[in-house]
Amino acid sequence: MPVLKTEGLTKVFGGLTAVLKCNIEINRGELIGLIGPNGAGKTTLFNLLTGITLPTSGTVELEGKKIQGLRPHVICKNGIARTFQNIRLFKDLTVLDNVKIAMNQHVKYGLHSAFFHNRAYRRTEAEIIEKAGDLLNIFNLYEKRDELAKNLPYGEQRQLEIARALATDPILLLLDEPAAGMNPVETAELTELITKIRRDYDLSILLIEHDMSLVMSICERIYVLDYGVVIAEGIPEEIKSNKRVIEAYLGEEVENA
Amino acid sequence: MRKLIKNRNVRIALILLAVFAVVQILDTVGFIDGYIMGIIARVCINIILAVSLNLITGFTGQFSLGHAGFMSIGAYTCAIITLRYPTVLGFIIGVIMGALCAAIIGVLVGLPTLRLRGDYLAIATLGMAEIIRILFLNMEITNGAAGLIGIPQFVNWAWLFFFTVGTIIIITNFINSAHGRASISIREDEIAAESMGIHTTRSKVTAFTIGAFFAGIAGALYASYFFFLKPELFGFAKSIDVLVIVVFGGLGSISGSVVAAVLLELISSMLQSLVALRMIIYAVLLVVIMIFRPQGLMGSKEISGIMFKGVRERVQSKVRSVGKGKGGEA
């Protein structure tokens, strides 16, 4: 059974069709790329998968369970986590708190524990701090755990977003342009990191990216979106030589030019 | 590490006990007269109101303009109950019922409006407070515009202290829990919060209800201390007064709300003799302070964070060394 399967997923904003009859399938442990020119509907597709926007029609199945129309926090509990194209960290909170908040759904203590800080509270909080610390260690952010998220350098903010997404314990991770604004060295580090977390956390990953060196080097399969339609799907080599993809990116070839 | 935290709690408890004892002794000796006690009562009630509104507006980021409405529900409920059962037990039941009634109205107003993003809450709470005021103005049990007179006075310094400190501790504890973190994450970025698994509607309604509950307690204390109620006391201006304390002290700072409640009450009682000029000076003072300190007196920082810095640093260095050991193993 695929981890994620969409059938005929469509989103219409007024007169604009942002995503049209999109069929995507991601198998367990796969790392899939999602590329396409600006405005092709990639981020809208992410928003549809995570419940931020509701689809006009079509279905989304996560491990065989229909999740379209559910509230974002329910979809997150079901196992989809994401990062955002324009970083959406909790800016005025510490690095540690950012990760701790993402672990909230595993906190079982009730309001009375919150009011009176009883034993259940102390035990759970100690566990959360330890787990969050472990996670930050992987991203080399542990030393900066008491800094405010907004004071981190750009690259580390992107990494913290991935760490925060991982803290929700996902089975499918959606990364929206994780390498945007990074220099080649940072991108190389990020590539390594993505490979590592996929292995260590047994994740499936769907990745939007404009940096072709990153996409072509680590993605097993690639979907290409243009004007909301999947125009190609296949392994990186096929995509590189696909005529429709080249047209979408570079424009149509003029006869006898 | 636990010892140090315990130690910190012990230190806070000692300071609180000292404050309580000093005022209690001065009161018994007769140094504190009715006028000063009145100021103390207003300060305590304003602290409870401001801290509870800060939970809603400063920490959860939901703009509420109806805090006086919740306060009036607590006040009238407690007044009606103690008028019928003028005993200490009646008073305690009155406070609890007042707070619960306020909380129930909080849920009813919060559920439909807090599902939405944006400032719908401000308008809904504004309307709610007005409706409540007009209801109290026209109901028989509240004696309309004439108000309730001769409410048995049970509130003394001990009760004021108990409820004020209790409110501060419970709300501070809430903020420092997973539930509180959920609320704060909504203020920071609602879309990111719900994408990280935070049930935003539930978190918002929870914070709003807790805020309403404590506003109800403040109202009950008011009724029982000042033994006179009329609907005009709980108009729009009262809600704004509380909001001013919260913004003045710093959105997202409990100690800021406490300091601001004390300072503003002192300023306004010192200006009491100037009658006409009072509101002008008060307003100019607020404007000047907001120009020079737009984030409020405390910003989003807490006094305890400064006072116990030494202790906290020791705790943190300990945590750090433990964490490093863990990192090595991983």
Side-chain angles (χ1 to χ4, degrees):
Chain A
M1 190 197 302
V3 170
L4 182 88
K5 187 179 176 190
T6 70
E7 255 173 55
L9 197 61
T10 302
K11 178 68 196 178
V12 181
F13 292 111
L16 177 84
T17 307
V19 174
L20 181 65
K21 295 198 173 119
C22 188
N23 299 326
I24 282 182
E25 225 179 278
I26 300 174
N27 296 311
R28 187 159 200 93
E30 267 189 318
L31 205 168
I32 306 291
L34 179 64
I35 63 171
N38 287 327
K42 306 183 294 293
T43 298
T44 305
L45 183 61
F46 267 27
N47 287 342
L48 291 174
L49 296 179
T50 51
I52 301 284
T53 43
L54 294 176
T56 311
S57 62
T59 61
V60 183
E61 279 178 30
L62 184 71
E63 293 195 312
K65 190 183 162 200
K66 289 208 166 47
I67 58 162
Q68 80 274 9
L70 295 179
R71 298 275 301 271
H73 67 93
V74 182
I75 291 180
C76 175
K77 280 194 177 75
N78 277 307
I80 300 186
R82 71 175 291 185
T83 65
F84 295 89
Q85 184 178 5
N86 44 342
I87 302 173
R88 277 180 177 271
L89 287 169
F90 306 125
K91 292 190 201 68
D92 285 316
L93 303 184
T94 63
V95 169
L96 185 64
D97 277 342
N98 267 276
V99 176
K100 275 159 83 179
I101 286 166
M103 292 179 167
N104 251 14
Q105 48 182 312
H106 307 298
V107 173
K108 294 285 179 266
Y109 63 75
L111 276 176
H112 62 284
S113 299
F115 290 148
F116 301 110
H117 284 195
N118 60 7
R119 186 170 293 166
Y121 166 87
R122 290 197 296 271
R123 197 184 51 228
T124 315
E125 288 292 304
E127 279 170 22
I128 291 175
I129 290 177
E130 197 186 315
K131 266 168 98 179
D134 288 348
L135 196 56
L136 287 174
N137 257 324
I138 295 173
F139 289 83
N140 290 324
L141 287 169
Y142 189 75
E143 294 301 315
K144 298 193 168 183
R145 68 192 178 286
D146 290 327
E147 280 190 39
L148 296 185
K150 65 178 176 190
N151 294 338
L152 290 183
Y154 181 80
E156 286 180 353
Q157 289 194 15
R158 287 236 171 255
Q159 297 204 344
L160 178 57
E161 262 216 321
I162 301 178
R164 186 180 66 171
L166 278 182
T168 65
D169 240 346
I171 48 179
L172 173 67
L173 182 62
L174 310 181
L175 300 174
D176 200 342
E177 297 198 29
M182 286 188 174
N183 63 37
V185 179
E186 287 172 325
T187 307
E189 280 172 13
L190 182 79
T191 312
E192 219 169 280
L193 190 72
I194 292 173
T195 324
K196 179 177 153 58
I197 57 171
R198 173 167 72 132
R199 195 184 55 230
D200 292 354
Y201 286 84
D202 188 25
L203 284 170
S204 314
I205 298 179
L206 179 62
L207 173 103
I208 295 179
E209 191 48 70
H210 283 300
D211 188 319
M212 287 305 148
S213 68
L214 175 72
V215 175
M216 295 298 170
S217 66
I218 61 172
C219 292
E220 279 131 24
R221 276 191 301 132
I222 295 173
Y223 284 94
V224 187
L225 216 57
D226 191 25
Y227 292 108
V229 181
V230 176
I231 57 167
E233 181 224 325
I235 59 169
E237 281 68 35
E238 290 169 6
I239 296 298
K240 269 183 210 167
S241 54
N242 185 304
K243 198 163 162 263
R244 286 191 68 188
V245 176
I246 297 168
E247 271 171 19
Y249 268 95
L250 302 175
E252 229 164 300
E253 212 172 309
V254 182
E255 294 279 320
N256 307 323
Chain B
M1 182 176 143
R2 180 165 292 173
K3 242 183 200 167
L4 283 167
I5 288 172
K6 280 234 170 92
N7 207 353
R8 188 195 132 161
N9 285 345
V10 168
R11 279 163 76 173
I12 294 174
L14 283 177
I15 293 169
L16 287 175
L17 209 65
V19 171
F20 175 73
V22 166
V23 177
Q24 186 65 48
I25 289 167
L26 289 177
D27 190 27
T28 327
V29 172
F31 187 76
I32 293 179
D33 55 10
Y35 174 69
I36 298 177
M37 205 59 210
I39 293 178
I40 292 175
R42 269 198 297 275
V43 166
C44 286
I45 289 163
N46 281 344
I47 288 175
I48 298 175
L49 287 170
V51 168
S52 55
L53 182 64
N54 208 341
L55 172 63
I56 300 170
T57 304
F59 289 96
T60 316
Q62 305 304 309
F63 202 47
S64 167
L65 287 174
H67 226 50
F70 295 125
M71 186 190 177
S72 70
I73 294 172
Y76 272 97
T77 311
C78 181
I80 290 163
I81 290 175
T82 45
L83 277 171
R84 203 147 296 175
Y85 306 101
T87 59
V88 175
L89 186 68
F91 163 68
I92 294 169
I93 292 171
V95 173
I96 295 170
M97 288 308 292
L100 284 179
C101 288
I104 289 166
I105 300 295
V107 175
L108 291 180
V109 177
L111 263 183
T113 46
L114 289 168
R115 302 174 66 85
L116 309 163
R117 270 178 226 129
D119 293 329
Y120 301 97
L121 185 73
I123 293 149
T125 47
L126 184 66
M128 172 215 66
E130 276 306 287
I131 291 169
I132 291 169
R133 191 177 65 82
I134 288 167
L135 275 179
F136 286 161
L137 203 56
N138 290 293
M139 284 198 317
E140 204 150 303
I141 195 167
T142 58
N143 202 20
L148 294 172
I149 306 163
I151 302 158
Q153 189 188 29
F154 289 106
V155 171
N156 51 23
W157 166 241
W159 282 117
L160 287 169
F161 184 82
F162 171 75
F163 280 114
T164 309
V165 171
T167 304
I168 296 172
I169 290 175
I170 287 181
I171 292 187
T172 310
N173 279 354
F174 175 80
I175 287 160
N176 290 317
S177 74
H179 299 276
R181 285 196 296 272
S183 299
I184 296 171
S185 74
I186 293 167
R187 174 193 73 192
E188 290 291 309
D189 191 324
E190 194 164 345
I191 289 182
E194 58 182 352
S195 298
M196 295 305 132
I198 304 292
H199 192 329
T200 51
T201 305
R202 193 174 63 195
S203 291
K204 283 191 280 186
V205 173
T206 306
F208 187 64
T209 308
I210 294 170
F213 181 89
F214 284 104
I217 287 184
L221 295 181
Y222 183 93
S224 191
Y225 187 84
F226 294 100
F227 52 84
F228 169 63
L229 289 182
K230 59 176 180 180
E232 266 63 63
L233 292 169
F234 306 104
F236 181 55
K238 182 67 198 172
S239 295
I240 296 295
D241 278 350
V242 183
L243 191 64
V244 165
I245 299 174
V246 172
V247 175
F248 185 72
L251 287 162
S253 168
I254 297 287
S255 27
S257 289
V258 175
V259 172
V262 176
L263 271 183
L264 289 180
E265 182 58 38
L266 287 182
I267 291 172
S268 89
S269 19
M270 272 190 287
L271 295 174
Q272 205 108 57
S273 50
L274 296 170
V275 197
L277 275 176
R278 182 172 150 235
M279 280 326 284
I280 297 175
I281 298 176
Y282 188 76
V284 168
L285 252 168
L286 283 181
V287 170
V288 169
I289 290 169
M290 285 291 86
I291 287 172
F292 288 105
R293 221 169 146 71
Q295 71 275 47
L297 288 177
M298 299 289 300
S300 58
K301 295 192 176 60
E302 299 292 351
I303 287 181
S304 66
I306 303 160
M307 259 166 70
F308 299 98
K309 210 176 165 213
V311 179
R312 206 176 50 172
E313 270 167 6
R314 263 178 285 158
V315 172
Q316 276 172 359
S317 68
K318 195 119 184 225
V319 171
R320 208 167 293 154
S321 60
V322 172
K324 262 185 190 156
K326 289 257 157 51
E329 286 161 33

